[in-house]
């Protein structure tokens, strides 16, 4: 394994993720908006609740017999993304930007892991570098990686 390659590729991945995060400064569609809302509620002391009926899947597919808000969250979406974002928001502020940091770091970690796995399987520097570059610039996923979502 070439440590210099690994350092350069990881630095490149981090720079690309930071640039993508700068472009996407808000939740661009429903899933990251939901995860952000739940994370914010956790940080603000409301626990796993949401002050809206986001989807009828959240309340069993029908109006509850006692239709009151807030309702418990994560009846449909997984909670781990919100938990990870909430940890960061607790330190860096309970807004979308505060929750992006772990997503940037976790998605950056995909690049050295891809390099290492490629090196392990094929023992080829060229293959490992190409695989890592594909992980750095993952097409449309490059813009999705820093969103508060489970990409």
């Amino acid at each position: 394994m070439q440590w210099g390659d690994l350092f350069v590729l990881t630095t490149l991945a981090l720079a690309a993720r930071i640039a993508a995060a700068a472009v996407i400064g808000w939740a661009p569609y429903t899933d990251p908006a939901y995860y952000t809302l739940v994370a914010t509620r956790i940080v603000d002391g409301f626990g796993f609740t949401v002050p809206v009926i986001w989807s009828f899947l959240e309340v069993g597919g029908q109006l509850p017999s006692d239709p009151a808000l807030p309702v418990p969250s994560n009846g449909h979406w997984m909670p781990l993304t919100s938990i990870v974002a909430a940890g960061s928001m607790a330190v860096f502020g309970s807004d979308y930007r505060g929750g992006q940091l772990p997503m940037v770091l976790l998605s950056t970690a995909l690049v050295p892991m891809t390099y290492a796995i490629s090196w392990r399987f094929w023992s080829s520097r060229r293959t490992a570098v190409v695989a890592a570059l594909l992980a750095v610039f993952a097409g449309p996923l490059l813009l999705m990686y820093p969103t508060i979502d489970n990409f």
Side-chain angles (χ1 to χ4, degrees):
M1 186 162 5
Q2 303 287 325
W3 294 103
D5 290 346
L6 200 57
F7 176 77
V8 168
L9 289 163
T10 303
T11 303
L12 181 62
L14 182 60
R17 299 314 191 262
I18 289 170
V23 171
I24 307 296
W26 65 92
Y29 65 101
T30 56
D31 289 10
Y34 184 82
Y35 289 125
T36 302
L37 175 63
V38 174
T40 302
R41 299 279 293 174
I42 292 169
V43 172
D44 291 344
F46 296 105
F48 287 94
T49 63
V50 287
V52 295
I53 295 180
W54 200 271
S55 166
F56 280 105
L57 295 170
E58 200 82 278
V59 290
Q62 59 189 358
L63 284 175
S65 58
D66 179 24
L69 295 174
V71 295
S73 68
N74 301 97
H76 178 65
W77 284 277
M78 301 172 286
L80 185 59
T81 301
S82 294
I83 294 168
V84 170
S88 180
M89 287 178 172
V91 176
F92 298 106
S94 64
D95 60 1
Y96 188 75
R97 289 281 187 210
Q100 276 185 306
L101 180 62
M103 307 312 156
V104 167
L105 297 177
L106 288 169
S107 66
T108 297
L110 292 172
V111 173
M113 286 191 309
T114 300
Y115 181 91
I117 290 168
S118 296
W119 184 269
R120 172 90 173 152
F121 284 147
W122 290 282
S123 299
S124 164
R125 178 180 183 217
R126 181 173 186 254
T127 302
V129 168
V130 169
L133 284 171
L134 288 171
V136 170
F137 304 107
L141 282 180
L142 179 59
L143 289 176
M144 302 315 286
Y145 280 145
T147 62
I148 300 175
D149 204 341
N150 57 351
F151 282 101

